[in-house]
């Protein structure tokens, strides 16, 4: 028996990137657990534990592929890495020579390692780096910036010291961040209250002291009534508000009509429950966390839902305090040098973004942009042609609404490349598939994590790839080396080894890679630091109840409430969400996770099911109210634990690819039930409005 070896690394089965410990036997990963030196306490979710099954899955891309048929036909020829990288580089050279460097678009799933991706795009000279956030957290990011003057990740959640946690559009015990789950459960064990506001009784709701099943689309009404109660009953933290809040008078006047009695008619929650809830919040303040949301690409007013969550936190005095939402610390905040950024190898492109962020939409954050709007430039060539698109671990055809309409928009592309460790609808529709090594068989750049105890962390390669795949740095540095003749300066990114990159990143920190050996990460302070607030980076230096930046863009940051439409007769508002054993569509074909959950079901309220004549477990068709076309069949889950106006399903199912034998034909894909959905988005926050669509259900 070969001697075992321990490797500290980083999970890659979802976007959280939990720190892990991998035990090796005979050169291969044999066991995965949460890094015991971290807040995971050794724990890991089911997805993270299924990483070995991903590495050994025979149904994932195993060598570079170049399309030989029509897009989506699934006709490929195998290629060597040399040939595939030459092919992509030559295409990029030709496209940028004809249409300019700006004609290249990139999207990924965000996260801590994107410095490498952004550096590649800067080296190309394109401003069009995007991520998936238009279908996830753009609304909450922009809400944070409009109130706090900083992004959502610049405040943390001190769950362990909280006295009341409120989850709204954040199903924390199913859309799992293991460290956060541990912290929340620790808090509940110490007597912290938990309240959940949702359209269905999810797992988080099962632990709650208060569960408010609101009518779909009325979260904004609920929040406005809470603000009204806090102000009119003088329940807010007056001293904190006086010192740190700007625009209380405007907020008071705006929310005056939105009483608890009014909200009862909108939300279905009795006025006395709303009033009692506001008193509970005041009793726990300032140790309150009203979570502003995670996946908030839901309604046309989701930006305002997130914004009012931040406002409630402000009124309760919880922003910047222990047991609330303390400001995170960067290395600079604790007197340390940060990593040297790869993106700084190149100047920032002067060209404006294709998606209009920063110029047509000046209020939006230009970092990851809005990829759905960049797709429009492929069709219109406005403001210029977009001709090449590289998708890294991103499956827009699964994540975005109306995939057939999206394919039409992509017809104007001369090159579509998918860099992926598993098959996806987007990979199947691509011109080139470049197989990415799984997180177990690749190393990554060093990343920073801001927080009460900021740190640097690293992903080490725990084993060699079992297929002909490469790490992202190998792919992008390989392309960079091939582009040096057409893109001067690109040779700066053509690193020959990961060690070279690590050395570059650490050059000003005083650290070496040996410092990561003990735990896989390096904490920059010994104990959590909660910084005293002096001011916020807003025009007033305070928390802004009214945002001047949004006003300059012609957008009302205190938007009058508009009652959501009721579903047409016999129809439902579509709703979807996550589950603890899958990461959207990426894991449905995983051998282990498919055994845990192989199909999704349609949650339908028992009263509505009775009207239609559907019993629990019946096979049903779900169809779009707009087209009457079915997206497939699934089982009905008849329950009283969902609002009667909603039909809910777990996202990521309904696969159709013949290369995925375990997932094909199982369940329904919600994105196929959203005709025209690419054009339905929240103009205030930038997020897609994925739950502004109506569906019907009938027996199969």
């Amino acid at each position: 028996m070969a001697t075992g070896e321990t490797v500290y690394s980083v999970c890659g089965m979802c976007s959280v990137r939990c720190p892990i410990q991998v035990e090796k036997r005979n050169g291969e990963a044999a066991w995965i657990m949460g890094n015991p030196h971290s807040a995971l306490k050794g724990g890991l979710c089911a997805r993270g534990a299924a990483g070995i099954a991903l590495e050994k899955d025979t149904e994932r891309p195993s060598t570079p592929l170049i399309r030989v048929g029509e897009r989506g036909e699934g006709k490929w020829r195998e290629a060597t890495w040399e040939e595939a990288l030459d092919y992509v580089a030559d295409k990029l050279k030709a496209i940028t020579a004809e249409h300019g460097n700006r004609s290249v678009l990139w999207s990924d799933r965000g996260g801590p390692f994107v410095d490498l991706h952004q550096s590649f795009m800067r080296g190309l000279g394109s401003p069009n780096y995007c991520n998936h956030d238009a279908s996830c957290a753009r609304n909450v990011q922009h809400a944070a910036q409009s109130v706090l003057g900083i992004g959502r990740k610049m405040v943390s959640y001190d769950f362990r010291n909280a006295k009341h946690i409120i989850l709204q559009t954040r199903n924390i015990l199913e859309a799992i961040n293991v460290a956060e789950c541990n912290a929340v459960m620790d808090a509940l064990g110490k007597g912290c209250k938990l309240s959940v506001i949702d359209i269905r009784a999810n797992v988080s709701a099962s632990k709650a002291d208060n569960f408010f099943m609101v009518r779909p689309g009325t979260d904004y009404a609920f929040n406005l009534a809470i603000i009204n109660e806090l102000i009119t009953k003088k329940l807010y933290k007056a001293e904190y508000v006086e010192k740190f809040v700007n625009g209380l008078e405007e907020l008071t006047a705006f929310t005056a009509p939105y009483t608890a009695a009014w909200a009862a008619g909108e939300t279905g929650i009795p006025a006395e429950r709303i009033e009692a809830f506001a008193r509970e919040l005041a009793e726990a303040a300032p140790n309150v966390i009203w979570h502003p949301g995670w996946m908030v690409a839901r309604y046309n007013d989701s930006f305002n839902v997130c914004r009012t969550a931040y406002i409630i936190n402000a009124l309760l005095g919880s922003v910047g305090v222990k047991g609330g939402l303390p400001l995170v610390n960067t290395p600079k905040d604790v007197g340390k040098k940060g990593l040297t950024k790869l993106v700084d190898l190149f100047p920032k492109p002067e060209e404006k973004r294709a998606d209009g962020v920063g110029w047509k939409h000046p209020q939006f954050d230009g970092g990851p942009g809005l990829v759905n709007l960049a797709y429009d430039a492929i069709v219109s060539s406005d403001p210029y042609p977009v001709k090449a698109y590289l998708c890294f671990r991103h499956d827009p055809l699964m994540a975005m609404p109306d995939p057939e309409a999206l394919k039409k928009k992509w017809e104007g592309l001369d090159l579509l490349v998918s860099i992926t460790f598993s098959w996806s609808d987007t990979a199947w529709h691509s011109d080139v598939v470049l197989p990415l090594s799984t997180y177990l068989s690749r190393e990554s750049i060093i990343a920073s994590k801001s927080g009460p105890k900021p740190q640097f962390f690293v992903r080490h390669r725990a084993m060699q790839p079992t297929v002909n795949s490469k790490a992202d740095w190998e792919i992008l540095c390989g392309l960079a080396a091939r582009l040096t003749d057409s893109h001067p300066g690109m040779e700066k990114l053509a690193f020959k080894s990961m060690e070279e990159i690590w050395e570059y990143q650490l050059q000003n920190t005083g650290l070496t890679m040996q410092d990561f050996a003990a735990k896989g990460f390096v904490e920059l302070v010994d104990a959590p630091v909660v910084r005293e607030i002096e001011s916020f980076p807003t025009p007033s230096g305070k928390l802004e109840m009214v945002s001047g930046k949004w006003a300059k863009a012609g957008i009302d940051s205190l938007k009058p409430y508009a009652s959501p439409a009721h579903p047409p007769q016999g129809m439902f508002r579509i709703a979807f969400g996550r589950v603890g054993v899958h990461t959207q569509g990426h894991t449905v074909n995983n051998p282990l996770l498919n055994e845990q959950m192989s199909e999704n079901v349609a949650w339908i309220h028992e009263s509505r099911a009775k009207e239609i004549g559907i019993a629990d477990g019946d096979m049903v068709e779900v169809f779009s109210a707009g087209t009457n076309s079915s997206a497939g069949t699934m089982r009905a889950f008849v329950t009283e634990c969902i609002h009667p106006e909603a039909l809910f399903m777990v996202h990521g199912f309904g696969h159709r690819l013949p290369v995925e034998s375990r997932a094909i034909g199982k369940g329904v894909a919600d994105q196929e039930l959203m005709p025209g959905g690419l054009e339905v988005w929240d103009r205030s926050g930038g997020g897609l409005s994925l739950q502004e669509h109506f569906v019907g259900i009938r027996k199969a």
Side-chain angles (χ1 to χ4, degrees), residues 42 50 142 158 216 255 263 269 294 310 431 567 607 675:
H142 291 135
D158 187 10
T255 56
I269 307 300
W294 202 359
Y310 283 115
D431 303 316
S607 64

Side-chain angles (χ1 to χ4, degrees), residues 9-11 17-21 33-35 38-40 43-44 521:
S9 191
V10 180
C11 186
R17 279 86 171 192
C18 289
I20 57 173
Q21 177 177 308
M33 60 185 286
N35 188 328
S38 75
L40 273 67
L44 200 62
F521 57 89

Side-chain angles (χ1 to χ4, degrees), residues 59 99 103 208 244 285 290 313 338 346 367 671:
E59 293 189 349
H99 301 287
S103 62
F244 293 116
W290 188 302
N313 283 311
F346 308 101
Q671 72 274 9

Side-chain angles (χ1 to χ4, degrees), residues 308-331:
T308 45
Y310 283 115
I311 288 173
I312 292 167
N313 283 311
L315 294 175
L316 295 171
S318 65
V319 180
V321 305
K322 183 177 179 180
L325 284 71
L327 303 181
V328 303
N329 298 307
T330 64

Side-chain angles (χ1 to χ4, degrees), residues 50-172:
I52 296 172
L54 170 64
E55 177 64 46
K56 297 186 176 181
D57 186 5
T58 59
E59 293 189 349
R60 62 187 178 95
S62 58
T63 197
L65 299 170
I66 298 174
R67 176 175 61 85
V68 294
E70 296 297 317
R71 280 185 183 151
E73 270 193 313
K75 294 181 180 179
W76 313 93
R77 64 177 177 87
E78 294 186 357
T80 65
W81 273 103
E82 288 292 314
E83 181 185 6
L85 293 178
D86 285 345
Y87 182 91
V88 173
D90 289 344
K91 285 281 189 179
L92 289 173
K93 289 177 185 179
I95 290 168
T96 55
E98 182 177 355
H99 301 287
N101 296 334
R102 62 192 185 180
S103 62
V104 183
L105 172 67
W106 172 288
S107 69
D108 57 34
R109 290 191 54 77
F113 304 116
V114 298
D115 183 30
L116 175 66
H117 311 161
Q118 293 170 335
S119 180
F120 178 76
M121 289 298 287
R122 275 203 187 180
L124 280 177
S126 172
N128 295 315
Y129 166 82
C130 292
N131 71 18
H132 77 297
D133 224 25
S135 58
C136 190
R138 276 297 85 186
N139 285 328
V140 69
Q141 170 71 3
H142 291 135
Q145 291 176 333
S146 74
V147 177
L148 314 179
I150 51 179
R152 67 187 180 97
K153 294 183 180 179
M154 297 309 291
V155 293
S156 58
Y157 306 110
D158 187 10
F159 292 117
R160 283 192 173 84
N161 294 304
K163 294 179 181 176
H164 202 142
I165 298 168
I166 302 92
L167 301 178
Q168 183 182 46
T169 61
R170 177 69 180 100
N171 183 7
I172 210 164

